[in-house]
C-alpha cells in the first residue's frame, strides 16, 4: 500500500522560502564575482540563476505557482457560473485567465449571477480582462493575438491578482 502524501507544514514552507531566498542571494553574489570581473567576454559566468538586486523575491515567487494537473474543458467551465441549485457543484464560480482556471466563488458578489462581472463566470475571460470590457462579444472572443503591449500588461495584472487571491482549479483546454 502507498502511504498518503502529507501536506506541507507551515514550517516546511517557510524553510523552503528561506532557502530559496538564500540560494537566490548566493547565485547573485557568485554571478557578480565570476561574470563581471573576469573580462573574458562571458567566460566564467556563473550558470546559476541571476536575479538582479532590483528584482524582489516576491516577483520571482510568482512564477512558482503550482497548477494542479487537472484539465478543465470549455464545456466543464461553462457549468460553473454560480447559478446551480443547493448542494450542487455548479454553485461554485470558475473563470479562466490566460489558460488557468480559478475558483472565484469567494467573490460571488462580483462574479455571481447578479454581479457586475457575471459575464466572466464559466468562461475564458482573458480578452475581456485585457480590454477592461464587460461586453459579451469580448468575453466570447478568446483571441489574444491582436492585443497591444498595454492590453497584455493589463491582462498580466489581472493574472497576478487572480493568482494571489483565488484557488487554482487547473488548466483550461478549449
Amino acid at each position: 500500500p502507498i502511504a498518503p502524501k502529507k501536506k506541507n507544514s507551515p514550517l516546511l514552507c517557510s524553510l523552503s522560502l528561506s532557502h530559496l531566498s538564500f540560494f537566490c542571494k548566493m547565485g547573485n553574489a557568485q554571478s557578480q564575482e565570476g561574470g563581471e570581473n573576469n573580462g573574458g567576454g562571458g567566460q566564467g559566468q556563473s550558470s546559476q540563476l541571476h536575479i538582479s538586486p532590483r528584482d524582489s523575491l516576491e516577483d520571482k515567487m510568482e512564477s512558482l505557482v503550482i497548477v494542479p494537473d487537472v484539465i478543465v474543458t470549455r464545456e466543464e467551465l461553462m457549468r460553473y457560473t454560480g447559478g446551480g441549485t443547493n448542494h450542487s457543484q455548479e454553485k461554485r464560480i470558475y473563470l479562466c485567465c490566460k489558460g488557468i482556471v480559478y475558483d472565484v466563488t469567494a467573490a460571488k458578489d462580483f462574479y455571481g449571477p447578479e454581479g457586475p462581472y457575471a459575464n466572466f463566470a464559466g468562461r475564458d475571460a482573458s480578452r475581456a480582462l485585457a480590454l477592461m470590457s464587460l461586453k459579451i462579444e469580448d468575453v466570447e472572443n478568446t483571441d489574444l493575438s491582436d492585443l497591444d503591449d498595454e492590453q497584455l500588461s493589463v491582462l498580466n495584472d489581472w493574472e497576478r491578482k487572480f493568482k494571489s487571491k483565488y484557488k487554482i482549479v487547473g488548466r483550461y483546454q478549449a
Side-chain angles (χ1 to χ4, degrees), residues 98-163:
K98 290 183 65 177
I100 303 296
V101 177
Y102 299 90
D103 183 340
V104 297
T105 307
K108 65 183 174 189
D109 291 341
F110 291 103
Y111 301 105
E114 303 299 319
Y117 304 112
N119 285 348
F120 297 171
R123 301 176 187 259
D124 178 355
S126 301
R127 182 178 184 84
L129 291 166
L131 298 175
M132 295 177 35
S133 169
L134 297 175
K135 296 177 185 174
I136 192 69
E137 58 266 20
D138 290 328
V139 177
E140 291 175 348
N141 182 351
T142 59
D143 181 20
L144 305 178
S145 65
D146 63 337
L147 299 179
D148 63 30
D149 288 342
E150 185 177 332
Q151 292 163 334
L152 290 172
S153 177
V154 168
L155 180 56
N156 289 335
D157 289 343
W158 277 105
E159 179 186 35
R160 277 189 291 278
K161 176 184 178 171
F162 288 128
K163 280 182 179 178

Side-chain angles (χ1 to χ4, degrees), residues 9 16 21 25 35 43 45 57 71 76 87-88 99 101 106-107 116-117 124 131 147 149 163 169-170:
S9 71
S16 298
S21 176
K25 288 177 186 175
Q43 295 174 346
Q45 287 184 343
L57 180 59
I71 301 297
E76 290 169 325
H87 308 296
S88 74
V101 177
Y117 304 112
D124 178 355
L131 298 175
L147 299 179
D149 288 342
K163 280 182 179 178
V169 176

Side-chain angles (χ1 to χ4, degrees), residues 12-85:
L12 179 60
C13 292
S14 67
L15 284 174
S16 298
L17 289 174
S18 298
H19 284 102
L20 180 61
S21 176
F22 172 76
F23 288 119
C24 289
K25 288 177 186 175
M26 288 296 292
N28 230 4
Q30 287 180 2
S31 60
Q32 286 174 357
E33 288 172 10
E36 296 174 6
N37 297 332
N38 258 350
Q43 295 174 346
Q45 287 184 343
S46 172
S47 62
Q48 295 188 19
L49 174 68
H50 175 72
I51 299 176
S52 72
R54 67 180 176 270
D55 291 338
S56 73
L57 180 59
E58 183 178 310
D59 291 338
K60 296 303 168 193
M61 292 300 292
E62 278 183 12
S63 64
L64 299 177
V65 172
I66 297 173
V67 177
D69 192 21
V70 173
I71 301 297
V72 180
T73 66
R74 183 175 188 266
E75 292 75 26
E76 290 169 325
L77 182 62
M78 291 177 70
R79 292 195 321 238
Y80 293 90
T81 61
T85 60

